[in-house]
Structures are given as C-alpha cells and as structure tokens.
Amino acid sequence: MKIPNDKGYYGEFGGKFIPETLSACLEELEIAYAKAKKNKNFVNDVNFYLKEYAGRPTLLYSAKNLSKVLGLNIYLKREDLLHTGAHKINNALGQVFLAKFMGKKRIIAETGAGQHGVAVATVSSLLGFKCDIYMGAEDVKRQSMNVFRMKILGANVIPVVTGAKTLKDACNEAFRDWVTNVRDSYYLLGSVVGPHPYPMMVRDFQAVIGKESRTQILKKEKKLPDYLVACVGGGSNAMGLFHFFFNDTRVKFIGVEAAGFGLNSLNSASLSIGKPGVFQGANSYILQDKYGQIKNAHSIAPGLDYPGVGPEHSFYKKIKRAQYVSVNDKQAVAGFNLLSKTEGIIPALESAHAIGYLKELAKKQKNSLVVVCLSGRGDKDLDIVRNYNGIKL
Amino acid sequence: MRLEEKFKKLKQEKKKAFISYVPFGFPEINMTGDICLTLQEAGVDAIELGIPFSDPLADGPIIQKATNWALDKGANVDLFFEEFSKFNKKLKIPIVIMSYYNPILQFGLKNFFKQMKSLDISAIIIVDLPLEESQPYIKEARKWNIDNISFITPTTSRLRVKKIIKYARGFIYYVSVTGITGPRDLSYSQLSKHIKNIKQNTEVPICVGFGIHNSNQVYRINKFSDGVIVGSEIVRFIENNYCEKNFLNKLKTHTKNIISR
C-alpha cells in the first residue's frame, strides 16, 4: 500500500482543498519534489548540510536518572541538539534546497513557537533567499527571543493580528501571500499539515529522526523499543519518529497532544476531542463547532497551539496504529521541571508534553523501553515558565 | 430564477451581468434581507450570498473583517436558511451561495442541497474545492439540479481549463488576479486574452471577479466578459455607511454608480 496515494490521501484523510489559484503551484511542487528526490546533487546537498551544518546524526541518550525516577527505560532522541535548537531544521533544509532546485526567489513561512521560523530564517540566509515569516501577534509577544533571532538572521517577521493571533492565523496569512505571489515565491510549510504534497514532503524530511533512532536503539539495546513517544501539534516530530517504525507492528506509537487548560476548556487536542473536517487544505481531525467553524486552540506551548493536525496522524488514529493522548499545561510544565532537574536538560515546552506523559505510561507498563523525541530545547520558553510558576529572579 | 435564464435574458437585451457579493449576517443578521432587496432594486442581476467561515483563505482584509463580524453576530448555516426564508419570495434574481467547504460538509452535502432547493437557490460556489476534490459534490449537486460554479484563474493551465469547463454550470468565475479578494488595478490585455481563449471552448458564460471596484473597470472588463462580480467594494461601503440615515438608499445609489449602464 502506498501512503499517501497519488491524490495525497492517507485513507480518507488528506487531499488538496485549496483555491484554484494554488492548484497549479501544488502540481508544480509535486512534480519538482519527485524530480529532486532522484537528483543526485539535491540529495547530496541536503545530506551534506544535515550532517555538517545541522549536526546530524543526533544522539540517542539513555536518560538514566529520569528512567530511575519514573521506572521506565527511557532514551531521548536529542533533536534539541541540532543547530537552531529543534527538529525543524531537518525540514527547512530539505525544502530550501527544493526551492533552489525550483528556481524560486523568495521564501514565505508561518511560525508558531518561532522554531520553524528560526530554522527557515537560518537556511534562507545560508542560501541567500529573501525571507518573509508570518507569526501570530500573540506568539510574537510570548516568543520574543525567537523573533529577535529571526530578525538577526535577516528575515522579515510579519505579525498577524487576525483571529486568535496564533499559528492558525499565521498559516492563513502565509497562504494568502502565496496565492498572491505564486510565481516567484516558495511556501516553506513547517509541519505535516496543509494540502498534498506538504504532509508527505515534511514527513519525508523528518523521517531521518526515526531512521537514526531505529539503528541506534538496536545497537544499544539489541531490540526495538516498546514505545515511541512524541508531542503532536501539527505532528512533524512525531511523524518523523514514527514513520520508519511503521512496519514494526510490535512498537507502539504514542502521540501526546496539548490539553491546554483541560479537555473541556481551551486546548489543542484535535485528535483526542476533534472531528474530521476540511481546514487549511486537508481533510483531517480539527477542533470545530457544530457549524464547521474552526475553534481557537490553546496550549502553553506555542508550537502545539493549533486546532488541526496532519492527515497521516488522523489515518494512524483511524487504523489504530498510534494512540493519541493528551497532557495539560500543568503536566507539561511538570515535565519541563522534571527533565531539567533530573537530567540537566531543559526541554522546549512542546517536547515537555511528551516528558509529562511518561508518568502515565509508567503506571501502565513498568520498565518498558521507551524512545522519546526531545524535539527542541527550552531556552525560548524561560519567560513563559517563569510567569507560569510565578518565579521572581 | 436560474442563472441560465438570467444570462439568456441578458444576452437578448445585449447586456452584461452585474453580480454582487455580500456576506450573510453582516453588519447584522436581520439586515441581510434588506441589503439583498436593495441590491435587487439597484439593478444587480444576481447576488452571491456568502456563508461566513472562520478561516477564509482566499479573502482579503475587507471580507475577512466582515465575515468575522458576521460570525461574532452568530451567523451560521442554520441561521442562514432560517433568515433567508423570510425574504426569498421577494427576490426575483438568481441567488448563488458562496462559502468554504467545511461549514457545508459538516451540515451534510445532501441536507445542504435539499435546503437550497426548498428555498429556490439553484447555484453554489465553494472556494476551497478544486476539481480534484469535487466529484462527490458535483454528483450530489446534479441530483438536486444545482449549478456548481467553477473557478478558473490566471495560473490554470490550458489542459486544466479543458477539464474544468466540462463540469462548469451557471457561469465560470474567472479570477482576475493571482491573489486574494480586494480592490486592485487590473491588466485588461492579459485578462482579455485569457478569457477569449476559454470562450473558444465553452458556451458557459464567463464572469470576472476579484479586484473590481469601480464603474470604469466594469466597463472595460465587460468588453470581453459576460459580466463582473463585485464584492469587497460593496462590503466596504456597507461597513462605512450602515449606521447612517438612509443607509439603504445610499447603498442603492452607490451600487447603481458602479453598475452605470
């Protein structure tokens, strides 16, 4: 079975629900990507920069202290050690070389936490692209360090003041820019969401996470893990970790969504409590009211603050290949503190959701072998956590 | 009245169609009826009634603001049908529903078309439903004899144009620019060339929308099209004037000035 099929469907999920103006550019993108994948120079460039510039392969670290505290055998896939501090650079490098391959002149991107924005600003300055990044005005406020990083790197950061002023609205604006400037601009989408071929492309560029993890764990433990755990907003680090293990049916996948203030209140748990629908180019689980209007999401982790999710995750849910659970703001901050104190590693609040879930997992299955994707580092979140905990310096 | 009949009549009278867009529920839920009737009096040939969606990807700031406003006032699909039934008998011109896919999908395609039929609405435009995703929708629309209006844009390839016109009903919505809705300057020579090309292959009328905001543009475009669609300019006018005395009269005059035939 080929996933996705030629029309970009993962079972009933996915597709290309976009205004006609974008049809031609998605087709162009699809053809270019298929060509690029077979082009030696493209593949070599991407691999070279992943290794020499971003710092791959990343370590698979046996977190002994955390394991002891929780009663699990935990390995952390250290995507936080990559250049720019998160897994987002994997996809940004892949797509920026694709933009070059296609002869585009300008890069557009959306960003939530700013990690994707920083990655895009970085690779754009590396390859000399003009770069415009849309970011919700609310996120601009709460992730000001990343905004400053993007500016230093030469990107133009455009605050978005429509809607809830977060990631979903930044995506809308990026699409509007792309519809307007389709001929010379490349839209560098940051997660496994949006219309085909984006969910597939981003997955392919992130699959290196799982590919390395599989080899590394086999070498260290001589067996496959019982569980893979990763946070899910749009779902790129989770899909990147899961993809290479798809056929290892004994390995269970757990995606951790953001329950925000709680599942009965504002949250970002599209798979846990949403319903299928069409939003930002694809059919997938979304948070919506009964009239099909998209709800505002909330998470303490700006990178998870999104009312939709990648269509392949919806497919994994449907076929029960993965289980999707959720962790609220409080549990995420507890995870953030726990990893910092036990291992001396400050995780991004997004990744802290995956850490926050481990306590639950330990209750179910003591001593299991678990690989957790530590998708990013937490420097960007210090202000949020300080405010949350009411810490005075 | 169906679009087909309207275009036939316009052709006999050697006139071009003037279609205006207004979002339902803007600026108030109960003003949509009066606004539609006023547009009819002003002489518009058809009305595109927008059902607001929270994330209107193809719309510029003017329509974004109006649709968000309408959503804040409580606009939704149920309320749309309920409100529309209060004034539909007074409308003598074709009504076209315009929306994004999700509100309609969640209401249920079959239910949606059934409701349209019962209220004599015989055409629909869905912004984010390109040909590839349209099959279930077109099939259901045919069952209820509802015209699905298709878009063609400056980036649509010749091959794609051929596929699209095979399924086109009512009229073809030609998008004047690559971009979103809202006032713009337009390049007539390019537009005219594209539309002449499409016309070689189809009898379905072609109307041009996006960016059109004054009577001069309407005049120039009608030289090669079968009509125009004006949205943002009318929405902007409503936003700026709805609190004024004689608002409906002013809207009528303003609309007439843009039509100016």
Side-chain angles (χ1 to χ4, degrees), chain B residues 23-87:
Chain B
F24 161 64
F26 172 79
E28 296 287 344
I29 300 287
N30 62 13
M31 282 179 79
T32 298
D34 283 341
I35 289 173
C36 286
L37 295 171
T38 303
L39 292 172
Q40 177 172 263
E41 279 174 38
V44 311
D45 299 299
I47 297 172
E48 268 179 28
L49 253 178
I51 296 182
F53 177 53
S54 53
D55 294 79
L57 270 189
D59 285 306
I62 296 172
I63 292 176
Q64 275 179 55
K65 191 173 166 194
T67 53
N68 274 325
W69 183 327
L71 287 171
D72 287 342
K73 296 276 174 187
N76 61 45
V77 176
D78 284 352
L79 203 55
F80 169 79
F81 285 126
E82 189 189 315
E83 197 62 29
F84 188 77
S85 71
K86 294 178 189 165
F87 58 85

Side-chain angles (χ1 to χ4, degrees), chain B:
Chain B
M1 189 192 266
R2 292 193 72 94
L3 285 166
E4 205 181 345
E5 207 182 318
K6 185 74 188 180
F7 278 102
K8 213 168 131 190
K9 205 166 150 242
L10 286 168
K11 202 171 180 182
Q12 284 164 0
E13 293 167 1
K14 296 203 160 51
K15 280 183 189 163
K16 300 299 173 91
F18 185 94
I19 302 171
S20 69
Y21 164 90
V22 281
F24 161 64
F26 172 79
E28 296 287 344
I29 300 287
N30 62 13
M31 282 179 79
T32 298
D34 283 341
I35 289 173
C36 286
L37 295 171
T38 303
L39 292 172
Q40 177 172 263
E41 279 174 38
V44 311
D45 299 299
I47 297 172
E48 268 179 28
L49 253 178
I51 296 182
F53 177 53
S54 53
D55 294 79
L57 270 189
D59 285 306
I62 296 172
I63 292 176
Q64 275 179 55
K65 191 173 166 194
T67 53
N68 274 325
W69 183 327
L71 287 171
D72 287 342
K73 296 276 174 187
N76 61 45
V77 176
D78 284 352
L79 203 55
F80 169 79
F81 285 126
E82 189 189 315
E83 197 62 29
F84 188 77
S85 71
K86 294 178 189 165
F87 58 85
N88 74 321
K89 294 271 185 305
K90 294 181 200 157
L91 288 170
K92 309 293 170 213
I93 53 177
I95 297 296
V96 182
I97 284 180
M98 182 164 201
S99 191
Y100 289 77
Y101 196 35
N102 201 47
I104 292 161
L105 189 67
Q106 300 305 326
F107 193 84
L109 274 181
K110 191 181 154 193
N111 275 344
F112 196 90
F113 289 143
K114 198 170 152 188
Q115 284 280 358
M116 282 176 68
K117 202 77 209 171
S118 74
L119 293 166
D120 262 338
I121 309 173
S122 57
I124 181 166
I125 307 178
I126 300 181
V127 180
D128 53 350
L129 206 56
L131 187 66
E132 290 80 0
E133 305 292 349
S134 293
Q135 287 315 316
Y137 151 79
I138 290 175
K139 216 172 135 193
E140 193 65 32
R142 293 284 185 274
K143 274 192 211 160
W144 297 91
N145 194 21
I146 281 168
D147 295 331
N148 60 286
I149 309 239
S150 311
F151 287 99
I152 292 178
T153 76
T155 59
T156 310
S157 68
R158 274 179 183 232
L159 187 71
R160 229 180 126 76
V161 167
K162 280 194 179 146
K163 287 187 200 162
I164 291 172
I165 56 180
K166 253 198 338 213
Y167 295 98
R169 293 280 171 98
F171 64 86
I172 287 165
Y173 192 130
Y174 189 85
V175 177
S176 66
V177 292
T178 59
I180 52 181
T181 57
R184 286 253 211 140
D185 291 333
L186 300 172
S187 150
Y188 302 107
S189 59
Q190 283 286 335
L191 262 174
S192 145
K193 209 175 92 193
H194 282 150
I195 285 168
K196 276 176 192 154
N197 276 334
I198 304 168
K199 275 192 166 293
Q200 286 171 357
N201 296 302
T202 182
E203 295 289 305
V204 180
I206 301 172
C207 296
V208 179
F210 281 42
I212 303 168
H213 61 284
N214 62 43
S215 58
N216 181 42
Q217 287 177 316
V218 173
Y219 173 77
R220 299 278 301 265
I221 290 168
N222 276 342
K223 287 192 169 170
F224 48 82
S225 79
D226 297 300
V228 295
I229 302 138
V230 177
S232 298
E233 175 54 27
I234 292 184
V235 174
R236 188 194 60 81
F237 187 85
I238 294 173
E239 186 190 334
N240 291 342
N241 295 281
Y242 80 100
C243 289
E244 307 239 333
K245 249 196 253 166
N246 296 327
F247 158 61
L248 291 174
N249 266 330
K250 281 183 175 149
L251 176 63
K252 191 166 139 185
T253 313
H254 185 67
T255 309
K256 271 186 171 168
N257 284 341
I258 309 175
I259 303 176
S260 76
R261 52 184 168 217

Side-chain angles (χ1 to χ4, degrees), chain A residues 109-114 133-143 147 157-171 173 302:
Chain A
E110 84 297 336
T111 194
I133 295 172
Y134 291 92
M135 188 171 187
E138 194 54 42
D139 291 333
V140 168
K141 248 195 285 171
R142 49 179 182 168
Q143 303 272 266
V147 176
V157 180
I158 306 164
V160 175
V161 294
T162 52
K165 309 182 178 72
T166 60
L167 181 55
K168 139 183 122 88
D169 313 289
C171 272
E173 278 311 309

Side-chain angles (χ1 to χ4, degrees), chain A residues 22 171-179 187 189 194-195 280, chain B residues 57:
Chain A
L22 288 180
C171 272
N172 286 341
E173 278 311 309
F175 270 114
R176 288 182 186 119
D177 184 323
W178 197 31
V179 174
Y187 179 18
L189 219 159
Q280 287 180 346
Chain B
L57 270 189

Side-chain angles (χ1 to χ4, degrees), chain A residues 5 51 63 128 156 176 180 190 193 215 235 237 260 266 275 284 291 295 312 318 339:
Chain A
N5 70 11
K51 182 166 174 255
N156 178 30
R176 288 182 186 119
T180 312
V193 300
T215 312
N237 89 85
L266 280 176
K275 266 185 23 183
S284 191
Y291 300 108
K295 283 191 187 169
E312 196 162 10
K318 177 98 182 181
L339 189 65

Side-chain angles (χ1 to χ4, degrees), chain A residues 76-109:
Chain A
L76 300 175
K77 182 59 175 164
R78 298 290 309 275
E79 295 297 295
D80 62 318
L81 294 177
L82 286 169
H83 179 43
T84 70
H87 73 292
K88 293 292 185 190
I89 191 86
N90 302 329
N91 169 52
L93 273 172
Q95 287 201 55
V96 83
F97 278 104
L98 184 58
K100 186 184 159 198
F101 183 79
M102 292 172 75
K104 299 287 177 182
K105 301 275 177 272
R106 167 179 175 255
I107 303 283
I108 315 162

